[in-house]
Amino acid sequence: MAASSGVATTLARKGKVRPFLRSSSSTRLFSAPRSSCGFYRVGTRVPRREVALRMSPRSEAPVDLEEKPSAAASASALEQFKISADRYMKERSSIAVLGLSVHTAPVEMREKLAVPEAQWSRAIGELCNLNHIEEAAVLSTCNRMEVYVVALSWNRGIREVIDWMAKTSGIPVAELRRHLFMLRDTDATRHLFEVAAGLDSLVLGEGQILAQVKQVVRVGQGSGVLGKNIDRMFKDAITAGKRVRSETNISSGAVSVSSAAVELALMKLPKSNSTSSKMLVIGAGKMGKLVIKHLAAKGIKRIVVVNRSEERVNAIHEEIKDVEIIYRSFSELFTAAAEADVIFTSTASATPLFLKEHVEALPPVDEVVGGRRLFVDIAVPRNVGSCVANLEHVQLYNVDDLKEVVEANKEDRLRKAMEAQSIISQELKRFEAWRDSLETVPTIKKLRSYADRIRASEFERCLQKIGGDALTKKMKRAIEDLSLGIVNKLLHGPLQHLRCDGNDSRTLDETLENMHALNRMFNLDTEKAIIEQKIKNKVEKTQS
């Protein structure tokens, strides 16, 4: 994994910083010992599950998560930022990801932060309204809740996002911080590419996460909330995910969360009666449909499905015709549960469907299936209250318990992950080259504007010297065309050396060097002008 490029990319190249490959089990989180100042700094490399906070080793300043600005300070933050804009000229806007996943946080915390797909656009809008956030996206699944942003200021932007997460979830910042991971620039982009490729999933290579990443783009495009950088990053992540699945065998033998849930249930049932147990699936969405398919693949011949829509259940039955699928409405939920030995839940309900009193009222199950009713809850937020686990004749499992299933064949999965890393590195290099190439666009515009101002000024002086009445309209046009032709020919060479598609790293390096040289020679102050314009836009948006 390459060090995060908080400073300009050209400096990273000159420093000969090379990315290194890592497997999905390699650590992506750095330890964060508290300093006496209350800041979190980079420490040594430790296993992923032991720590939950990562800082960029190239951050010029640590993120002070303890500091909480007052309302007055927040109101004037942008104006203060504008005054001290020179301090931020050394780095461009940062791409960051903040979040928690099955690797860093328990399900009871993830469900508090979960954002339903219907609310993604609203969440993105709220994030983009934060003072120092330019672009944003939300990826919320049963195994993760991650916020991707382009931050105008790293310190201020990250603090605003963390405060937003705390406010949205009701989790205090201090508690949230214990489970949160933060990645910047190259590390953030690589993380998304690994997520799309299934390398960061609980089940390595699972395919559903790629569909969820695609859905972020669809939702963003449909509502027009995704910015240029986030949109391109997610699209390139989708490309990386597709390539990993088509060019490696990472998906062979891989299971989804749904199939792992079925495996877990069958592991807990007596082997002699596992396929004859009465199965109930609550929810016929994507996860529920997969549960039904995997149960059928394991030889289950009769499945009861509780769902709000009978049409969806009938559509599943059309696909799996050799299995008896019986539809029950939600009004029959507890009646269906009373007849079931194993209950899978995967609905989008914001509140639990089963509480302790509901399950206590159910009749006991037969001793031939173990004498204990089995609940496998793969929904986030959970569909079964945690208090149910305390009942004597019940076994309750949630998504975090699936690790027992997916630990098998660990070495083989890690080998496949290493094969996938070379593809991810190629796609990561392509994205960063594209982003680097964008740096030259403001310089091209400013150089052209600078030359046009000089040309227009000299043209007017020429007309004044000759006298307006002495020239016909045709003569004036000829002189103006002459001035335009001279400027265009003089600018042709410099502008050609500022254009590249980012595919060739050598050409890109030369282009960026040319950009910096032209900025110095013509005193264009491009970087400062860009950030001042961004701040101005944010101030105007806040005031309106």
Side-chain angles (χ1 to χ4, degrees), residues 477-528:
R477 182 56 188 266
I479 295 172
E480 186 171 22
D481 287 346
L482 174 65
S483 66
L484 285 169
I486 292 171
V487 167
N488 288 338
K489 284 181 170 59
L490 286 174
L491 289 181
H492 178 74
L495 294 184
Q496 281 295 103
H497 285 82
L498 287 180
R499 293 189 176 99
C500 73
D501 58 11
N503 290 327
D504 187 296
S505 60
R506 181 187 59 80
T507 304
L508 180 58
D509 283 340
E510 292 176 357
T511 301
L512 294 175
E513 288 174 8
N514 294 335
M515 178 191 75
H516 293 307
L518 286 168
N519 274 318
R520 288 193 305 270
M521 285 188 285
F522 291 99
N523 196 28
L524 298 178
D525 280 336
T526 305
E527 292 89 349
K528 186 173 182 179

Side-chain angles (χ1 to χ4, degrees), residues 72-88:
S74 297
S76 61
L78 282 170
E79 290 297 343
Q80 293 172 1
F81 184 38
K82 187 173 182 180
I83 294 171
S84 59
D86 284 339
R87 174 182 170 191
Y88 300 92

Side-chain angles (χ1 to χ4, degrees), residues 105-262:
V107 64
E108 53 264 27
M109 176 164 284
R110 299 200 308 275
E111 66 186 1
K112 291 179 182 177
L113 274 159
V115 180
E117 183 181 313
Q119 297 180 28
W120 284 359
S121 296
R122 175 194 57 77
I124 294 171
E126 290 179 1
L127 287 163
C128 290
N129 282 333
L130 298 176
N131 284 346
H132 300 91
I133 300 303
E134 299 178 75
E135 304 176 25
V138 172
L139 177 60
S140 183
T141 73
C142 62
N143 282 331
R144 68 186 66 252
M145 192 285 181
E146 298 174 351
V147 176
Y148 292 83
V149 296
V150 176
L152 190 63
S153 160
W154 168 257
N155 280 348
R156 291 175 172 90
I158 295 306
R159 189 181 303 130
E160 288 172 356
V161 174
I162 292 173
D163 287 343
W164 176 86
M165 294 174 78
K167 180 181 178 182
T168 301
S169 64
I171 303 172
V173 170
E175 184 182 354
L176 185 63
R177 187 171 60 236
R178 291 172 49 210
H179 300 277
L180 193 67
F181 69 84
M182 289 187 290
L183 301 174
R184 185 177 185 179
D185 290 324
T186 299
D187 290 338
T189 307
R190 179 179 285 275
H191 173 75
L192 177 60
F193 286 17
E194 290 179 346
V195 167
L199 300 187
D200 194 65
S201 297
L202 179 63
V203 182
L204 188 74
E206 62 108 349
Q208 191 172 5
I209 185 61
L210 181 59
Q212 290 161 335
V213 172
K214 290 179 181 178
Q215 191 61 18
V216 172
V217 176
R218 289 193 197 99
V219 171
Q221 290 178 335
S223 56
V225 293
L226 289 188
K228 176 171 59 179
N229 289 276
I230 294 289
D231 181 70
R232 175 64 181 254
M233 182 171 70
F234 268 76
K235 287 178 178 176
D236 283 0
I238 292 168
T239 299
K242 288 179 178 178
R243 284 192 60 195
V244 166
R245 286 171 172 80
S246 64
E247 296 177 29
T248 73
N249 63 346
I250 195 169
S251 295
S252 62
V255 290
S256 66
V257 170
S258 299
S259 63
V262 171

Side-chain angles (χ1 to χ4, degrees), residues 143 291 337 388 469:
N143 282 331
V291 168
V388 172
D469 297 336

Side-chain angles (χ1 to χ4, degrees), residues 134-436:
E134 299 178 75
E135 304 176 25
V138 172
L139 177 60
S140 183
T141 73
C142 62
N143 282 331
R144 68 186 66 252
M145 192 285 181
E146 298 174 351
V147 176
Y148 292 83
V149 296
V150 176
L152 190 63
S153 160
W154 168 257
N155 280 348
R156 291 175 172 90
I158 295 306
R159 189 181 303 130
E160 288 172 356
V161 174
I162 292 173
D163 287 343
W164 176 86
M165 294 174 78
K167 180 181 178 182
T168 301
S169 64
I171 303 172
V173 170
E175 184 182 354
L176 185 63
R177 187 171 60 236
R178 291 172 49 210
H179 300 277
L180 193 67
F181 69 84
M182 289 187 290
L183 301 174
R184 185 177 185 179
D185 290 324
T186 299
D187 290 338
T189 307
R190 179 179 285 275
H191 173 75
L192 177 60
F193 286 17
E194 290 179 346
V195 167
L199 300 187
D200 194 65
S201 297
L202 179 63
V203 182
L204 188 74
E206 62 108 349
Q208 191 172 5
I209 185 61
L210 181 59
Q212 290 161 335
V213 172
K214 290 179 181 178
Q215 191 61 18
V216 172
V217 176
R218 289 193 197 99
V219 171
Q221 290 178 335
S223 56
V225 293
L226 289 188
K228 176 171 59 179
N229 289 276
I230 294 289
D231 181 70
R232 175 64 181 254
M233 182 171 70
F234 268 76
K235 287 178 178 176
D236 283 0
I238 292 168
T239 299
K242 288 179 178 178
R243 284 192 60 195
V244 166
R245 286 171 172 80
S246 64
E247 296 177 29
T248 73
N249 63 346
I250 195 169
S251 295
S252 62
V255 290
S256 66
V257 170
S258 299
S259 63
V262 171
E263 292 284 352
L264 178 64
L266 297 180
M267 283 170 55
K268 300 303 178 182
L269 290 169
K271 292 188 181 299
S272 57
N273 297 94
S274 59
T275 57
S276 60
S277 298
K278 299 171 185 176
M279 301 289 179
L280 170 63
V281 178
I282 303 173
K286 294 176 183 177
M287 300 282 278
K289 181 179 178 180
L290 287 172
V291 168
I292 295 168
K293 285 187 173 182
H294 290 300
L295 285 172
K298 292 295 182 180
I300 306 298
K301 295 299 182 184
R302 184 178 185 274
I303 304 168
V304 177
V305 181
V306 172
N307 194 57
R308 300 190 189 282
S309 164
E310 184 176 2
E311 289 76 16
R312 181 169 286 181
V313 177
N314 290 338
I316 296 173
H317 198 188
E318 284 297 312
E319 290 186 42
I320 315 171
K321 294 185 178 180
D322 57 342
V323 174
E324 183 183 5
I325 298 178
I326 302 167
Y327 167 75
R328 293 284 185 268
S329 67
F330 257 90
S331 62
E332 303 174 272
L333 174 65
F334 297 117
T335 303
E339 300 170 354
D341 301 322
V342 182
I343 301 173
F344 297 90
T345 61
S346 62
T347 78
S349 174
T351 56
L353 302 177
F354 292 94
L355 296 175
K356 188 175 182 180
E357 57 267 27
H358 301 141
V359 180
E360 280 180 321
L362 298 177
V365 299
D366 200 305
E367 287 295 331
V368 298
V369 290
R372 304 175 77 183
R373 181 171 278 105
L374 182 60
F375 285 85
V376 184
D377 183 6
I378 56 175
V380 177
R382 289 170 291 179
N383 290 162
V384 183
S386 57
C387 53
V388 172
N390 299 324
L391 297 176
E392 182 179 357
H393 298 295
V394 171
Q395 285 180 290
L396 173 60
Y397 299 95
N398 59 46
V399 287
D400 287 358
D401 298 313
L402 301 182
K403 296 172 186 176
E404 181 180 346
V405 176
V406 300
E407 281 300 311
N409 301 319
K410 190 173 183 179
E411 290 184 10
D412 183 52
R413 294 202 313 275
L414 293 181
R415 180 183 56 78
K416 293 175 181 178
M418 290 301 293
E419 292 174 5
Q421 285 294 345
S422 62
I423 296 173
I424 287 175
S425 293
Q426 292 169 20
E427 293 299 325
L428 178 63
K429 183 178 179 182
R430 196 164 66 91
F431 170 76
E432 294 197 321
W434 169 82
R435 194 163 179 242
D436 287 342

